[in-house]
Amino acid sequence: MKIKRTLRGVAFIAGLMILLAVSSYLLVPRNNTAAAGMEATSANGILGEKENSIDILVLGDSESYFSISPLQLWKEKGYTAYVCGTAGQHLTYSNTMLHRAFQKQKPKIVILETLAIYRKMSLSNVGLAEIARYFPVFQYHNRWKSYDLKGFKNGVKYNWAEDYKGYFYSDQVTPAQNLEYMTPTEESAKIAKTNRYFIQKIKDFCDENGAELILLSTPSTQNWNYKSHNGIAILASELSCEYIDLNLMNDTVGINWSLDTRDSGDHLNYSGANKVTHYLAEYLSGRGILSDHRGDKNYAHWDECLEKLNAKAKGTSN
Amino acid sequence: MPSIPSYFSVQFLAILLPVTVTTYAFLPQKPRRIVLLLASYAFFWAVSGKLLVYLLLSTLSIHHFGLWLADNQNRCDQALEQAQKENRKGIKVLYQRQQRGIIAFAVILHIGVLAVLKYSAFFATNLNVGFNLLKLPATVAIPSFVLPIGISFYTMQALSYVLDVYHRKISADRNLFRLALYMSFFPQIMEGPICRYTETAEQLWSVPPIEYRNLTFGLQRILFGILKKMVVADRLNLLISNVFNSYQDYDGFVIAVAAVCYTIQLYMDFSGTMDVALGIGQIFGVSLTENFQRPFFSKTIPEFWKRWHITLGAWFRDYIFYPISLSKPMKYLSSKARKRLGHNFGALPASAIALFYVWLCNGLWHGAGWHFIFFGMYHFALILSGNIAEPFAANIAHKLHISREHPLYHGFQIVRTAALVCIGEMFFRANGLRTGLAMLKKIFTDFTFNTIVEKTFFSFGADLYDYIIVAIVLAVVFFIELCQEKGVSIRERISTKPVAKRFAVYYALIMAIVIFGAYGDNYVPVDPIYASF
């Protein structure tokens, strides 16, 4: 009787797994567009990029997609980068994006914008995000409302690519007030245990896949301070990875807080992003691990995208 | 997913519950008690952290008071045995006085802690308003405390235990761990049910092995509870929070719909949580007291309160209503009133006074706010007026040849009761008494159906599909409750079906929650409503 019941229990769980897998397959977006139900389309545009064409993957929250412009990096050094940053990104989603990106790409560098490391995560959301990685129905369950049978017949094809490679263009200028935001202190901000666990997972994944993890704090007078810097510096030494805090390097980066921020020091604008990206281009060039793809036919569309961004910056395109 | 690790959180459903059930299942009897106690404290810690100390102190305190009372009772009994007949009355009075002193100390201590933590800010605010009105140059600082989760629930359990020992209904428990488990059992600590010592302490302590039937029945009930909470209650929150937070922007029709939706949300949320609590209890072989018995089939308000939050009503009945209405002054009042008002209405004044305190406490128990007091007084007025009007209503119905047993009349009574409940719940949910009154006024003075044309109901982040899903699940709940009302147990029926059909029911429930549950990107997590009381 006991064996029978145990077998019944196993059969029940197996049946449930199959049901979750089938429903996941049915509800997962057929394409990586908003119309197909994909979330954070700009970040997920990486799924539509040519296989093995991305050198640098950027993860993080809005600081990442306002501060790093992959097309500027392309223009200066011919490196291909993609920003998988999303608004208020939690490390669970950074981890999800990392795994998604590596399905088709083999970037040599993974940059994580550090503000996401301090973003609190509820255990419930962490659990849900982890389950959703195996059974996407937990993430896309609401898609039953807009289910399209036609799309189902065509299967899953992620072929939409984003022109600015995850970068959010903004030419707004609202000067920052708080310019003395990096007052030195011995204190260091604490990183929550759950966040620490996920950052370790991200680091381990990068190591296993031959990518170097770099922690990067982009300039922000509203979101960064010395205490946060100290916390990440300790973390970086524990993880044995590179840490660059551009908030302490303004002599080199040259952010002008009257002109280079779109919202009083919260995020950078186009001009600020170009300065950060220029620094990054020089830094990566100095490392000598990436190659210049300019002139390579396989990367021709990067020039087209750059032209579009230039046109946008000149105000000749929407 | 809710922001606190409630019974609907991933960490509870995927970690704490399975780990506790599995560990419990593989251990012999005695260590199972430790597993339940540790799981209960772990859950409380996860929700309230260091505030666990309140629960521990409360447990220690009732253990001590129980033993103190029992000790005093024993000494009284011994003294009475040894005393001569003429001295017995004096000894009785002496010990009774001591008993009263001990119980008063216990009650004041527990109510005092609750009052300070939960009500001191409310009283201080009103005191300042009073000073202001009287133009006195004084202000009281408004204190701010973090409430331990479930304090209103476990305080009631603690008080019922010491009061029952005082009244010699039960013997004081010398076993601190049994009492600790009675106080803290994790499925009920957050929202009840408020169980009595006689109902659960022994059951919990007996820690029977997990039986297949209990496991499957318990799991079914848990799934049903999650379905009610996550598919209906949390989905309706989009409409409710929008309308209640800015009622000024909506007409009377939208406000009325929101009031009805809130009543549904509250029922689905609270009864869903109770289904989870009772389902978990059943897995461990513990029958927790039912807190709901299909309240929306009630024909009158008193009947509604016998079916809604039953354990709270029973607590107020046993520890407030009866002690007041059976007290000497009330008995005297009743006998006087009978002479003046006749047999029909003679008992009314005494019961009205007792009822008043019951509903004042009921309102205050739910929260520190005038709208909660109004909620209590509203139900007090409805019940009292119903009692007064009943003979007249019966007379009128008789003269008009209306059969009060006709199904149509019953239907009318059910709808009327539900409507009255919805009005009360609107005040309950409103952000203050003035807001509640303004919303009620809008229902009667600004009632139009324009919002249907303007599709207002689709502007809250919920679309037609959301409302369709809510309607389907409500229809399922209604069907199940209708069967229960007719004495049919759906779970018993399911258990007689072949295994494939039983699996199909489980799968349908699980997939309905996974696919139609209001969680994830488009929904704001909703904490269980009663957890905040």
Side-chain angles (χ1 to χ4, degrees), chain A residues 5 8 12 124 141-142 145, chain B residues 9 11 466 507 515 517 519:
Chain A
R5 278 181 180 163
R8 202 182 286 167
F12 178 80
S124 251
H141 64 101
N142 235 12
K145 290 179 183 178
Chain B
S9 64
Q11 60 264 50
D466 285 300
Y507 287 145
I515 293 173
Y519 63 90

Side-chain angles (χ1 to χ4, degrees), chain B residues 183-442:
Chain B
M183 283 286 283
S184 65
F185 186 43
F186 69 95
Q188 59 174 130
I189 190 72
M190 195 178 246
E191 293 195 25
I194 302 161
C195 295
R196 307 293 170 83
Y197 179 82
T198 47
E199 290 167 345
T200 55
E202 269 311 320
Q203 280 195 76
L204 281 164
W205 199 244
S206 67
V207 277
I210 289 177
E211 286 176 15
Y212 181 76
R213 183 186 159 86
N214 280 343
L215 180 71
T216 52
F217 272 45
L219 285 174
Q220 279 176 34
R221 191 148 187 192
I222 292 170
L223 287 173
F224 189 52
I226 298 172
L227 182 83
K228 282 156 116 180
K229 160 89 172 122
M230 288 183 67
V231 180
V232 180
D234 291 358
R235 182 170 255 106
L236 285 176
N237 197 55
L238 294 164
L239 180 153
I240 293 158
S241 54
N242 271 293
V243 177
F244 276 84
N245 290 340
S246 38
Y247 74 94
Q248 303 93 329
D249 301 340
Y250 303 102
D251 64 29
F253 175 64
V254 177
I255 292 171
V257 171
V260 173
C261 285
Y262 176 64
T263 309
I264 294 169
Q265 183 195 32
L266 192 63
Y267 179 47
M268 291 290 113
D269 184 293
F270 195 14
S271 71
T273 308
M274 287 304 102
D275 286 330
V276 174
L278 273 83
I280 296 171
Q282 188 160 13
I283 291 175
F284 294 112
V286 178
S287 301
L288 297 174
T289 318
E290 290 286 346
N291 231 356
F292 289 93
Q293 266 186 345
R294 304 165 293 284
F296 289 99
F297 285 91
S298 306
K299 297 183 199 78
T300 62
I301 291 292
E303 187 190 352
F304 176 82
W305 281 103
K306 280 178 191 155
R307 290 165 171 259
W308 173 283
H309 207 172
I310 297 166
T311 56
L312 180 73
W315 198 99
F316 285 129
R317 180 196 64 209
D318 292 347
Y319 301 106
I320 294 183
F321 184 82
Y322 285 148
I324 293 177
S325 60
L326 298 177
S327 65
K328 276 181 188 169
M330 289 303 123
K331 278 182 180 168
Y332 178 75
L333 179 67
S334 290
S335 69
K336 284 276 176 195
R338 272 202 186 94
K339 284 175 193 163
R340 288 198 165 213
L341 303 170
H343 196 74
N344 274 348
F345 295 105
L348 265 178
S351 67
I353 291 169
L355 261 183
F356 171 81
Y357 284 109
V358 163
W359 286 102
L360 179 68
C361 291
N362 190 308
L364 275 172
W365 181 88
H366 283 95
W370 285 107
H371 59 303
F372 288 119
I373 295 172
F374 180 87
F375 169 80
M377 290 299 103
Y378 171 76
H379 281 281
F380 164 68
L382 286 179
I383 292 169
L384 190 65
S385 58
N387 287 345
I388 294 169
E390 173 53 27
F392 301 109
N395 202 13
I396 291 168
H398 178 71
K399 282 183 180 167
L400 294 174
H401 303 291
I402 296 170
S403 167
R404 297 179 90 195
E405 295 309 316
H406 195 280
L408 269 178
Y409 188 77
H410 285 171
F412 158 73
Q413 285 180 304
I414 288 170
V415 172
R416 177 198 61 188
T417 305
L420 291 171
V421 168
C422 288
I423 293 171
E425 298 300 354
M426 187 180 74
F427 281 92
F428 190 80
R429 171 63 176 81
N431 302 328
L433 180 57
R434 275 186 197 170
T435 306
L437 290 168
M439 289 175 82
L440 187 66
K441 189 181 170 191
K442 270 203 135 189

Side-chain angles (χ1 to χ4, degrees), chain A residues 5 8 11-12 15-16 19-20 23 123-125 127-128 131 137-138 141-142 144-145, chain B residues 9-11 212 463 465-466 469 499 502-503 506-507 511 514-517 519 522-523:
Chain A
R5 278 181 180 163
R8 202 182 286 167
F12 178 80
L16 183 61
L19 264 180
L20 289 173
S23 55
L123 276 176
S124 251
N125 288 340
L128 198 61
I131 297 170
V137 62
F138 285 94
H141 64 101
N142 235 12
W144 63 271
K145 290 179 183 178
Chain B
S9 64
V10 174
Q11 60 264 50
Y212 181 76
D463 54 27
Y465 295 107
D466 285 300
I469 279 298
V499 71
R502 295 208 305 270
F503 276 20
Y506 284 122
Y507 287 145
M511 293 315 292
V514 170
I515 293 173
F516 303 122
Y519 63 90
N522 300 318
Y523 301 94

